[in-house]
């Protein structure tokens, strides 16, 4: 699922460029070399962080992947989604935009 979802997150990031919004991916329990191989197949410009031993996954109580969290500037969770979602769909984009400050 991540192979399909990550490019849509990158499209969302591009659609909101210039707004107070950022996207980053967190890879869980995989080696850096495996992540690099994946990124060679699915090139992304968004930052990819490594959660090598699953500490972040446990701290955030992630029970499945992919999991996506929408946070405010203070780090509070406003929404979270479990499972694959097309972040480039207009309805999804509107949901995310509704959480951003007005221009």
């Amino acid at each position: 699922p991540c192979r399909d979802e990550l490019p849509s997150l990158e499209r969302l990031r591009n659609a909101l460029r210039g707004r107070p919004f950022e996207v980053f991916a967190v890879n869980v329990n995989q080696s850096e070399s495996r992540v690099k191989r994946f990124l060679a197949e699915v090139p992304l410009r968004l930052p990819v962080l490594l959660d090598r031993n699953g500490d972040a996954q446990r701290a955030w109580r992630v029970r499945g992947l992919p999991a996506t969290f929408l946070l405010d500037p203070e780090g509070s969770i406003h929404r979270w989604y479990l499972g694959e979602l097309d972040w480039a769909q207009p309805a999804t984009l509107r949901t995310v935009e509704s959480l951003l400050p007005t221009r």
Side-chain angles (χ1 to χ4, degrees):
C2 295
R3 186 174 299 275
D4 294 327
E5 186 176 34
L6 285 169
S8 81
L9 278 166
E10 187 154 57
R11 288 190 298 276
L12 174 68
R13 181 181 189 228
N14 291 337
L16 296 173
R17 189 177 314 267
R19 303 282 304 273
F21 179 78
E22 186 54 73
V23 173
F24 59 90
V26 178
N27 180 278
V28 178
N29 291 325
Q30 293 182 343
S31 68
E32 186 172 350
S33 62
R34 186 167 180 184
V35 172
K36 285 182 179 181
R37 284 193 307 273
F38 174 82
L39 292 174
E41 295 174 21
V42 182
L44 300 169
R45 292 184 177 257
L46 56 93
V48 178
L49 308 176
L50 301 179
D51 182 19
R52 289 183 177 97
N53 56 12
D55 287 344
Q57 181 181 23
R58 283 186 294 283
W60 287 65
R61 299 182 182 154
V62 175
R63 301 291 180 236
L65 297 172
T68 307
F69 297 86
L70 299 177
L71 310 175
D72 67 16
E74 288 76 40
S76 297
I77 298 171
H78 278 267
R79 290 202 175 53
W80 64 273
Y81 301 88
L82 181 60
E84 186 179 350
L85 186 62
D86 184 351
W87 292 93
Q89 289 295 317
T92 308
L93 177 61
R94 284 191 300 274
T95 297
V96 174
E97 286 181 313
S98 74
L99 299 171
L100 299 176
T102 57
R103 292 184 188 199

